[in-house]
Amino acid sequence: MPVDTAEEIEEILEYETIAVVGCSSTPGKAAHDVPEYLLERGYDVLPVNPYADEIFDREVYDSLDDVEEAIDVVCIFRPSEEVSGIVDAALEREDVEVIWTQQGIRDDEAASRAEDDGRRVVQDRCMKVEHRRLAA
């Protein structure tokens, strides 16, 4: 079952490195403003977007495969129909502890695969909202 208790979400919010798949360079979009908020709160945000070179004065990776740093959490800002492939890429990495799909995004089958592989999954929740609610 995906994570849904405040205690589990608080634990997840203690991780430091978040790869944001679908991170946007456009202020005003949730896929820009949420990772910016996390960056401002001390998280190491790794933008993943094949159509951008730099976001938040940081290098942008084309895919999870291109990220050399260890990743704790993969935060997904892509349509639900793209989640499965992103989860597969995350599962190829041994360092990813958590897969988090933002509000309005979910794929129950991909979530089950991730959980079966020992990863924690948060679906259909905004990291910024949860951080403000539990950690701020």
Side-chain angles (χ1 to χ4, degrees):
M1 293 293 298
V3 169
D4 64 356
T5 68
E7 294 80 18
E8 289 177 292
I9 292 172
E10 283 177 327
E11 287 175 20
I12 290 168
L13 291 172
E14 291 178 14
Y15 286 112
E16 296 177 2
T17 305
I18 304 169
V20 180
V21 178
C23 191
S24 175
S25 58
T26 307
K29 285 188 165 187
H32 175 87
D33 295 348
V34 171
E36 182 178 51
Y37 169 89
L38 296 170
L39 187 62
E40 291 169 352
R41 298 310 175 283
Y43 289 94
D44 184 13
V45 174
L46 307 173
V48 179
N49 179 335
Y51 304 107
D53 295 323
E54 189 176 279
I55 301 174
F56 314 126
D57 295 321
R58 294 175 157 244
E59 175 185 1
V60 179
Y61 300 93
D62 287 344
S63 69
L64 288 175
D65 294 338
D66 295 325
V67 178
E68 294 179 10
E69 294 95 325
I71 298 171
D72 298 319
V73 179
V74 171
C75 180
I76 301 172
F77 276 96
R78 298 299 303 147
S80 295
E81 56 270 14
E82 293 182 26
V83 168
S84 182
I86 297 165
V87 167
D88 289 343
L91 295 180
E92 289 179 18
R93 299 181 61 105
E94 293 182 14
D95 53 354
V96 175
E97 300 285 335
V98 178
I99 296 167
W100 185 307
T101 62
Q102 281 295 120
Q103 197 165 350
I105 304 168
R106 68 180 307 121
D107 180 329
D108 294 334
E109 183 180 311
S112 291
R113 284 198 321 271
E115 290 172 328
D116 290 346
D117 197 58
R119 317 303 172 100
R120 294 163 91 180
V121 176
V122 179
Q123 288 199 104
D124 193 19
R125 290 182 182 259
C126 177
M127 254 184 134
K128 178 179 177 180
V129 169
E130 296 301 326
H131 186 272
R132 281 184 168 166
R133 180 172 74 97
L134 299 169

